[in-house]
Amino acid sequence: METESHSVLLVSRDSKIISQISPFLLPPMFDLTVPSDFNEARRLATDRTFNIIIADSGDGYDTDFAINVADSSSTVLLLVPNENFDEISYRVECYGILTVTKPFEPFYFYNMMKAAIAVQYKVQILSSQTVKLKAKMEEIRLINRAKLLLIEHLKMSEQEAHRYLEKEAMDRGLKRTALAEQIIKTYQN
């Protein structure tokens, strides 16, 4: 069985934090990217989707980067000094950001990474479902538009328009959406 690799962006101004975390994020389970600074991290996060983004808030008040990337499909872990943890955690949790106290015990960080992976799986499932729902809604919209045009131009009832779409699509070997698009093109002008 092949292990899935998780792309991780790790950004911190503190090389000690990077050296503490990097050993947890080894291939093949993780594909780690460590930018030189937050500006490069912003560019990378814009150009590419990471499964997990780990950001070190420094003194605890530098949370802008984490908040800015939180609207992506990435799971964001924010490292926060213990003395500011409650205040900052409360402030960023509404963005879906997971907070981790620092300094941290290795086992604690390992468990937070497991939680981030679990959250990422859930995000992927929900994103997939969202795409399917949007496609279904578009299909319904097209078919309803075609029915409306059939009702308007051919004086069919809603049931007759529905039956016509079903039967015509089956007879022609077309998807209902393809037939609906043809009807819309025909009658919309």
Side-chain angles (χ1 to χ4, degrees):
M1 188 169 125
E2 202 174 300
T3 322
E4 185 177 341
S5 182
H6 305 281
S7 58
V8 178
L9 178 66
L10 169 59
V11 59
S12 176
R13 291 184 181 92
D14 186 351
S15 59
K16 183 180 172 191
I17 292 287
I18 293 170
S19 64
Q20 282 179 318
I21 293 175
S22 295
F24 288 101
L25 307 173
L26 298 174
M29 188 160 183
F30 297 101
D31 173 23
L32 178 62
T33 302
V34 182
S36 57
D37 58 32
F38 278 86
N39 289 329
E40 183 183 355
R42 276 183 187 81
R43 281 191 299 278
L44 287 168
T46 301
D47 295 343
R48 173 178 168 200
T49 301
F50 291 89
N51 298 118
I52 300 169
I53 297 176
I54 303 170
D56 178 12
S57 69
D59 64 1
Y61 295 100
D62 185 17
T63 59
D64 293 343
F65 173 77
I67 291 170
N68 288 338
V69 297
D71 64 353
S72 69
S73 62
S74 304
T75 300
V76 180
L77 285 176
L78 181 64
L79 305 176
V80 178
N82 196 29
E83 59 272 7
N84 307 106
F85 181 79
D86 289 335
E87 172 193 346
I88 293 171
S89 179
Y90 178 75
R91 193 172 79 212
V92 300
E93 69 187 9
C94 62
Y95 297 98
I97 297 172
L98 302 172
T99 49
V100 180
T101 60
K102 63 177 192 175
F104 51 82
E105 293 294 320
F107 184 73
Y108 174 69
F109 183 77
Y110 172 79
N111 282 331
M112 286 305 292
M113 285 303 297
K114 299 288 277 179
I117 290 168
V119 167
Q120 188 57 40
Y121 282 131
K122 189 58 116 174
V123 166
Q124 289 172 354
I125 289 168
L126 292 174
S127 294
S128 172
Q129 289 174 344
T130 300
V131 167
K132 288 177 187 173
L133 285 173
K134 283 181 179 179
K136 187 66 176 170
M137 286 172 52
E138 179 61 18
E139 178 183 329
I140 291 168
R141 188 189 68 74
L142 274 172
I143 291 168
N144 284 341
R145 178 75 181 132
K147 281 187 205 177
L148 183 63
L149 289 169
L150 290 171
I151 291 167
E152 188 178 303
H153 291 279
L154 300 180
K155 307 300 182 215
M156 292 182 177
S157 69
E158 196 275 335
Q159 285 180 325
E160 290 169 332
H162 180 79
R163 174 140 170 68
Y164 175 82
L165 279 170
E166 293 284 324
K167 184 171 179 355
E168 194 68 21
M170 190 171 65
D171 290 349
R172 289 199 207 167
L174 293 172
K175 288 187 172 187
R176 289 184 313 158
T177 53
L179 179 62
E181 287 171 345
Q182 288 177 3
I183 291 169
I184 291 168
K185 284 179 188 173
T186 301
Y187 291 109
Q188 200 163 28
N189 300 332

